[in-house]
Amino acid sequence: MNEAKIRTEEMLLNMGPQHPSTHGVFRVVVRTDGELVLESESHIGYLHRCFEKCAEGNNYLQVVPYTDRMDYLCAMMNNWGYAAAVEKLAGIEVPERAEYIRVIVAELNRVASHLLAFGTYGLDIGAITPFLYAFRDRERILKIFEKLCGQRLNYSYVRVGGVTFDMTDEILADIEAFCDYFDPKIIDEYDNLLSYNGIFISRTANVGVIPAELAISYGVTGPSLRGSGVQRDLRRDAPYGIYDRLEFDVPVGSGEMGQLGDCWDRYMVRMREMRQSIRLVRQAVKDIPEGPFCDKKAYRAVKPKAGEVYKRVEGARGEVGFYIVSDGTNIPYRVKARAPSFCNISILDKLTSISNVMIADLVAIIGSLDIVLGEVDR
Amino acid sequence: MNLCFFTSFFAQAGNGLGEYAGTYSAKWDAGAYEGGLFFAGLLKWLLLATEVPSSVPLAGTLNGVLGSLAPLVSDGSIFPELGALLITIGVVFGFVNVFAIGAVWSERKVSAHMQCRLGPMEVGPHGLLQTVADGLKLLTKEDIIPRLADKPLFALAPAIVFAGVLMRFVPLPFGDKLIASDLDLGLFFVAAVGAVEVLGVIMAGWASNNKWSLFGTIRTATQMVSYEIPIGIAFVTVILCCGSFSLMEIVNQQGGSLAATDGYPYQGWIWHWHLFRNPFMPILAIVYFIASLAECKRAPFDLPEAESELVSGFHTEYTGMRFALFFLAEYAAMYLVAAVAVVIFLGGWWSGIYPLDALGMGPDATIYTKTLGLLIKLGVFLSKAFALVFVQMWIRWTLPRIRLDQMMYVCWKVLLPISLVCFVGSCLWELASGGASVFGFGIVVE
């Protein structure tokens, strides 16, 4: 073969929308030079279901099930964000017991969501076993939720004015048993199996470093922001519900395995948050007062006065915010959802352009941002 | 890799096969029954000594056929050799298939039990027949060739990959005397034919006309060609210590053939294994094992098939039986590298316990002790190889995958220097000790 005719070319590679590691129907067009990613371009919208438009055609209570389907891995927090926004708009008081129940289910849901993030991140890096360990424990949480509200994924449990069903003593006992079972698992199994595995560290440390200013400028929130060392958690900084009465730490990345804000930091923030969530659940279960679990009136119909409101809660992936405009009828005039995954994934293209990223790293970065496509596209 | 390499490789392979044919007939004439001659002997015995009982239907015809073949056998015509060859091929092929079925099942079971699951439980007891069912399913699946694929290459690639692995079984013993062919260049043959597999993989990925397959192919080629080097150095070191390329000879020396007394040809214990021959050998064995994981594309070196990155690597576009061939080749390669490790480091079929190994080897051996001894050696060899295969599975279901640059780093900056140091160290050790092992029981190479 004539050597002069041999030439190298850049290759345009279409990753997704059907790809095992894009965590849903997410498409990245990458320009590659061998294994090196030169440039990436994210394409979203394959799962668009017009949440915001649907919300304009249903009354305030009927919108709740749509919020489940945004971030289906932590539906409780989405329900809560929407319910809290409507409650603020309509001036509805939520019973004390309901606030406690909300914290319990939200934190359990956070654990379930982080478990899935942990498991799928293991899959992205090539370790299959952690995934099944995570699913084994996530299943226990889903069982508890199933007992509580008959649903395993789309709960619609947190509603305007309270929650749908009361939490029985039996379920509280189940939750305590789960906390006792789960607490040692994180260190004994997960950290041993994945977090401190040499190969895992070499794949994630120093990869996809997000400097704090960059993260803030892109509106990155949640564990992905805290991984960059920014101490920001709405549960503590803008307390809602009863979070101001509970004790918990906000774990942030410290760059202990590599640079601050790398994939390992983001991953580890989630692992540490699970422990904090269990701590919160234990406190809430201990202190839960007797009383009604919902505002029966608000439960039937809500008709806020004309006005607008923005309310945000700390979801498993960051700030879940709802901006609602009311025209005084029982149907919202406009609902805008601020989805954390949507903002978090926007940084991906920037990350591939500021650092040398290989295809395997791209997968690791997408996994460490922990996106849910249902939420990105809404 | 250039054309020159392939030319020399095929020349060498041709030489090896020529050698094989030569030694084969010579040994058969001498009445030995080593290797494929075992089957030749069996066939000869069947043809010469068997008389089909008259109660069997068509007994007359069968006896007539046997009778007409017998003279051909006794005057040394080609038939028994050819027949033995075919039987040997059948046995090796059958073993590869049965092993693959068993290994797929055990891989699923091992992974399941490591992951708090049960694994297949429905088809047969404990899902034993699940792989058979899956195989049948693959056989009945539609064979899809993508419209824009290079059809001849696409169709040929799985066969080349599978043949490349199968060919490496030729000089590989399964136990004492149980070998397809004791090639004089055995270890070289194993290493050289490994390159054929790379060729098939490149063909598969390129012909698929799929960018993801191409990525898998690039990774495979990079990985397999790189990791052949530490493996080759491990081979060279062992060859240097033994003074032979033949896998049979390498194993025999680990049975302590020099310490022979009282008519017993071998008198070896566990410390006669090459693993304990000198202080460098254990390190080299670990280097070989790691490199062999990479060579047969097992985790943590499963980059070519990295499911989460490349979907399925070079065989993304393959379906049905063509896919099954890749699958089969992968599992056959798993066994192969494990068996080679057993041969060159772990004493082959020697259990390392002298009285057990001596069974059926002394002058007072009867046909029964001989048979028992052969069976024990077969069992010992297979158990060792299967244990290594289990370790491969264990690693796969525990570790994450490394990145391409890290894979290259491990090969060129870690394994290669270590293996070179071990190689030089072993050379010096052999020179200084005159071929004696750490325990002073070594073999002096004439």
Side-chain angles (χ1 to χ4, degrees):
Chain A
M1 197 189 290
N2 185 359
E3 271 187 43
K5 281 184 182 165
I6 300 174
R7 64 205 160 86
T8 55
E9 248 177 63
E10 286 166 3
M11 188 154 89
L12 210 60
L13 194 63
N14 192 21
M15 190 168 166
Q18 305 296 337
H19 188 277
S21 294
T22 51
H23 294 218
V25 279
F26 175 57
R27 175 171 159 232
V28 200
V29 179
V30 284
R31 199 156 58 80
T32 59
D33 176 11
E35 287 271 332
L36 218 57
V37 174
L38 300 174
E39 190 183 43
S40 76
E41 196 187 327
S42 309
H43 291 267
I44 59 169
Y46 293 93
L47 205 59
H48 191 62
R49 287 146 303 162
C50 311
F51 160 73
E52 287 168 11
K53 191 68 194 166
C54 287
E56 290 167 20
N58 290 288
N59 73 38
Y60 283 96
L61 303 182
Q62 286 170 333
V63 174
V64 174
Y66 286 105
T67 62
D68 283 329
R69 283 141 184 90
M70 282 171 52
D71 183 352
Y72 39 80
L73 295 179
C74 64
M76 292 290 188
M77 267 90 89
N78 285 2
N79 295 164
W80 194 356
Y82 175 77
V86 176
E87 281 155 9
K88 192 173 166 191
L89 190 65
I92 297 165
E93 278 292 309
V94 182
E96 188 87 333
R97 186 175 172 82
E99 292 285 18
Y100 275 88
I101 294 177
R102 283 179 177 187
V103 168
I104 295 172
V105 293
E107 293 307 320
L108 280 178
N109 208 179
R110 192 187 309 277
V111 173
S113 172
H114 283 356
L115 274 177
L116 199 103
F118 158 79
T120 50
Y121 199 43
L123 277 187
D124 290 344
I125 303 297
I128 297 156
T129 305
F131 180 73
L132 286 129
Y133 277 66
F135 259 60
R136 177 196 63 187
D137 296 339
R138 181 172 176 264
E139 184 65 25
R140 285 178 172 244
I141 299 176
L142 297 190
K143 283 262 164 63
I144 291 170
F145 285 158
E146 200 177 353
K147 221 174 194 176
L148 186 63
C149 58
Q151 292 290 331
R152 289 165 58 85
L153 216 56
N154 297 320
Y155 315 106
S156 296
Y157 178 68
V158 179
R159 294 200 189 167
V160 180
V163 294
T164 321
F165 305 102
D166 197 6
M167 193 169 263
T168 60
D169 290 344
E170 188 196 341
I171 295 171
L172 283 174
D174 280 355
I175 292 170
E176 279 203 312
F178 171 77
C179 291
D180 292 339
Y181 158 85
F182 184 70
D183 223 2
K185 289 274 175 205
I186 303 173
I187 301 166
D188 290 353
E189 291 185 355
Y190 300 162
D191 282 359
N192 273 346
L193 196 59
L194 196 63
S195 310
Y196 293 103
N197 179 296
I199 295 177
F200 181 73
I201 291 172
S202 70
R203 281 292 309 276
T204 52
N206 295 321
V207 169
V209 179
I210 309 180
E213 313 83 66
L214 188 70
I216 293 167
S217 71
Y218 270 81
V220 173
T221 48
S224 302
L225 176 68
R226 291 192 283 275
S228 298
V230 182
Q231 284 257 3
R232 186 175 161 81
D233 190 322
L234 292 177
R235 290 173 292 175
R236 195 197 56 189
D237 299 338
Y240 52 94
I242 53 150
Y243 277 113
D244 47 355
R245 294 179 221 169
L246 304 174
E247 269 183 28
F248 64 101
D249 300 327
V250 178
V252 291
S254 57
E256 50 195 294
M257 291 300 164
Q259 277 169 279
L260 180 64
D262 57 16
C263 289
W264 194 85
D265 275 345
R266 287 195 283 281
Y267 160 87
M268 208 53 198
V269 164
R270 292 197 183 89
M271 302 304 286
R272 292 182 177 140
E273 267 186 29
M274 283 202 268
R275 233 164 290 168
Q276 298 302 326
S277 290
I278 294 293
R279 203 171 142 199
L280 282 165
V281 171
R282 280 187 201 275
Q283 293 173 41
V285 168
K286 203 172 104 235
D287 296 343
I288 188 164
E290 292 297 318
F293 61 91
C294 71
D295 182 334
K296 282 273 163 14
K297 221 172 114 224
Y299 207 84
R300 283 192 288 274
V302 181
K303 200 169 178 181
K305 285 198 279 292
E308 57 184 53
V309 69
Y310 180 70
K311 183 74 185 170
R312 57 201 180 159
V313 296
E314 183 75 24
R317 281 161 192 81
E319 184 181 320
V320 180
F322 285 91
Y323 173 67
I324 304 176
V325 180
S326 164
D327 57 359
T329 62
N330 63 343
I331 293 171
Y333 178 74
R334 176 82 172 87
V335 175
K336 164 84 179 82
R338 187 225 184 261
S341 294
F342 175 73
C343 299
N344 291 358
I345 199 65
S346 67
I347 205 171
L348 180 71
D349 296 345
K350 179 73 179 168
L351 278 186
T352 53
S353 67
I354 59 170
S355 55
N356 272 337
V357 171
M358 302 181 82
I359 289 180
D361 293 336
L362 189 65
V363 168
I365 293 172
I366 296 176
S368 76
L369 291 170
D370 187 25
I371 51 164
V372 165
L373 265 298
E375 191 181 50
V376 172
D377 295 338
R378 301 186 293 289
Chain B
M1 202 185 306
N2 51 33
L3 205 66
C4 184
F5 172 78
F6 282 111
T7 325
S8 72
F9 157 64
F10 280 117
Q12 294 293 352
N15 280 346
L17 286 173
E19 291 269 345
Y20 156 69
T23 47
Y24 175 71
S25 37
K27 282 179 186 169
W28 186 60
D29 289 341
Y33 67 103
E34 206 165 74
L37 294 158
F38 175 74
F39 296 111
L42 196 70
L43 201 69
K44 190 179 172 189
W45 176 78
L46 274 173
L47 289 173
L48 291 180
T50 321
E51 195 168 333
V52 180
S54 54
S55 56
V56 175
L58 296 174
T61 328
L62 283 175
N63 278 328
V65 172
L66 285 176
S68 61
L69 290 176
L72 284 173
V73 175
S74 43
D75 67 18
S77 295
I78 195 73
F79 177 69
E81 291 194 3
L82 195 66
L85 200 63
L86 290 176
I87 294 176
T88 313
I89 292 168
V91 167
V92 171
F93 192 76
F95 173 81
V96 168
N97 283 288
V98 171
F99 169 78
I101 287 172
V104 172
W105 176 81
S106 51
E107 172 116 55
R108 294 176 71 170
K109 279 299 194 189
V110 165
S111 69
H113 287 284
M114 284 177 182
Q115 297 168 341
C116 336
R117 298 184 286 123
L118 285 175
M121 288 297 282
E122 294 297 321
V123 191
H126 285 268
L128 262 172
L129 297 175
Q130 182 65 50
T131 326
V132 181
D134 289 348
L136 284 176
K137 182 202 73 176
L138 282 175
L139 273 173
T140 55
K141 273 197 150 185
E142 188 189 350
D143 176 30
I144 300 169
I145 298 181
R147 194 158 46 85
L148 293 176
D150 187 329
K151 288 190 181 62
L153 283 189
F154 188 86
L156 196 59
I160 287 193
V161 168
F162 187 59
V165 175
L166 209 60
M167 267 162 78
R168 300 167 85 186
F169 275 83
V170 169
L172 190 77
F174 289 87
D176 195 8
K177 294 188 171 60
L178 296 174
I179 185 170
S181 168
D182 181 16
L183 300 187
D184 289 344
L185 277 174
L187 212 45
F188 178 80
F189 188 82
V190 169
V193 175
V196 175
E197 203 190 331
V198 188
L199 199 65
V201 167
I202 294 175
M203 282 165 69
W206 184 254
S208 293
N209 193 26
N210 176 326
K211 288 175 182 174
W212 295 104
S213 300
L214 187 61
F215 263 105
T217 297
I218 296 167
R219 288 180 174 194
T220 317
T222 327
Q223 179 170 325
M224 292 180 79
V225 170
S226 306
Y227 277 83
E228 266 166 21
I229 293 165
I231 288 181
I233 290 171
F235 282 178
V236 166
T237 315
V238 171
I239 289 163
L240 196 112
C241 294
C242 296
S244 172
F245 281 83
S246 156
L247 294 174
M248 292 292 273
E249 178 58 24
I250 291 170
V251 177
N252 279 337
Q253 290 194 1
Q254 297 179 76
S257 51
L258 256 215
T261 49
D262 307 336
Y264 286 88
Y266 304 100
Q267 200 153 30
W269 293 88
I270 192 164
W271 49 82
H272 284 95
W273 294 2
H274 285 326
L275 188 65
F276 307 110
R277 189 180 168 97
N278 65 43
F280 303 100
M281 281 296 190
I283 306 170
L284 207 58
I286 292 167
V287 168
Y288 170 79
F289 186 73
I290 294 173
S292 73
L293 284 180
E295 224 218 335
C296 57
K297 307 184 282 285
R298 296 287 296 182
F301 300 99
D302 57 343
L303 298 100
E305 286 149 38
E307 195 206 342
S308 55
E309 294 157 28
L310 302 185
V311 188
S312 191
F314 63 88
H315 55 61
T316 308
E317 297 288 352
Y318 281 86
T319 53
M321 206 51 213
R322 289 188 212 281
F323 167 73
L325 275 181
F326 282 121
F327 211 60
L328 223 60
E330 197 185 316
Y331 278 89
M334 269 170 75
Y335 173 80
L336 187 112
V337 294
V340 170
V342 169
V343 165
I344 63 177
F345 292 113
L346 298 176
W349 53 78
W350 305 108
S351 65
I353 305 159
Y354 169 61
L356 192 64
D357 287 339
L359 194 68
M361 303 224 50
D364 54 347
T366 64
I367 181 78
Y368 300 108
T369 54
K370 271 181 182 165
T371 313
L372 193 61
L374 280 182
L375 285 177
I376 288 173
K377 289 183 174 69
L378 175 71
V380 166
F381 189 90
L382 290 182
S383 332
K384 282 181 189 173
F386 290 164
L388 281 184
V389 169
F390 171 76
V391 176
Q392 291 177 348
M393 291 176 181
W394 185 8
I395 289 175
R396 172 167 179 190
W397 299 108
T398 309
L399 293 180
R401 179 188 314 119
I402 62 173
R403 212 168 48 206
L404 186 79
D405 55 329
Q406 292 161 351
M407 183 268 286
M408 297 304 274
Y409 178 88
V410 168
C411 178
W412 295 102
K413 291 197 169 173
V414 181
L415 295 186
L416 186 63
I418 293 178
S419 58
L420 279 172
V421 166
C422 290
F423 171 64
V424 175
S426 294
C427 290
L428 295 177
W429 182 279
E430 293 293 317
L431 264 180
S433 67
S437 80
V438 180
F439 301 95
F441 293 108
I443 303 121
V444 179
V445 179
E446 298 299 323

